[in-house]
Structures are given as structure tokens and as C-alpha cells.
Amino acid sequence: MASLSSPLRVCRGILKELRIIQGPGFKQSLAYNYVIDQFRKNKVTGERYCRAQQEAHHASLTYLCLLTSTRNHLALHNLYHGKGERSPEEVAGLVGLRLPTQPGGKGWEK
């Protein structure tokens, strides 16, 4: 199995995403309390099997990936969606292209 990042780094990442979503009062939320309780409950001890700890760590990594991906998706959605009909020049500019121009007098342009 590939090595996983440290549980502390994952916990901090999840709490960072919660802070971004909920604002400065995130420490009073139920989600914050649940995450902290789960990480405290799944600390490494001598009696625990490694498999249960790895499953909890993998679940937390998956949740962190979900939170990060959702935030990135919303940012992209807000950037590219819902501005109505766009001109071809504006659409080409969105993806980093320019429309071709006709070189010198073909007779049909102004």
C-alpha cells in the first residue's frame, strides 16, 4: 500500500477546509467537534490493530479530497458558468485563444 500522509496533516487539512466553508466561527460547529473526536478516538495505541487505524486514516484522506474538490469545483463553476450568451471573441479569450484575422483587402471587410 502506498504511504499515507501523516494523520496530523490530514486533520489540519480538513479543519482548514471547514474554516473556509464556515468562516471564523467554525470551532463551534458540529462538524468541527466530530472531526476532532474521530481523530482523538483513532490515535495510535498498542492495543489497536493497524488495519482499523489505516481504514480511518484512508477515510479521512478521502473526506479531505472531497472537501478540496468541492471547493475547487465551486470556484470553477462560478468562474465559467452563468454569464449568458458570449461573443466568439470572448469565448476564445476564456480558453486562451485568439480568433484569426483576415490579412489585407479581401473586399468584404470594412
Side-chain angles (χ1 to χ4, degrees):
M1 182 174 180
S3 68
L4 301 173
S5 61
S6 73
L8 182 60
R9 180 172 287 172
V10 175
C11 182
R12 285 180 179 167
I14 291 174
L15 295 179
K16 175 186 166 193
E17 293 296 327
L18 286 176
R19 184 176 63 243
I20 291 171
I21 293 169
Q22 296 178 350
F26 77 103
K27 287 189 177 182
Q28 287 79 30
S29 69
L30 293 175
Y32 175 82
N33 292 331
Y34 179 76
V35 168
I36 294 296
D37 289 342
Q38 289 300 309
F39 271 93
R40 285 182 181 152
K41 188 166 67 169
N42 289 305
K43 279 186 180 176
V44 179
T45 62
E47 302 90 44
R48 293 192 182 248
Y49 294 107
C50 291
R51 183 174 193 162
Q53 181 207 1
Q54 286 180 352
E55 287 175 3
H57 187 66
H58 185 270
S60 64
L61 273 173
T62 305
Y63 187 61
L64 176 60
C65 182
L66 171 75
L67 289 174
T68 306
S69 299
T70 302
R71 181 174 48 89
N72 290 337
H73 168 73
L74 287 175
L76 288 173
H77 181 74
N78 290 335
L79 181 64
Y80 290 111
H81 186 266
K83 295 195 173 132
E85 190 68 26
R86 296 181 176 172
S87 68
E89 292 85 11
E90 187 179 358
V91 172
L94 274 176
V95 294
L97 301 174
R98 291 183 306 153
L99 290 180
T101 56
Q102 290 291 330
K106 294 286 183 187
W108 50 268
E109 64 271 339
K110 290 183 179 180

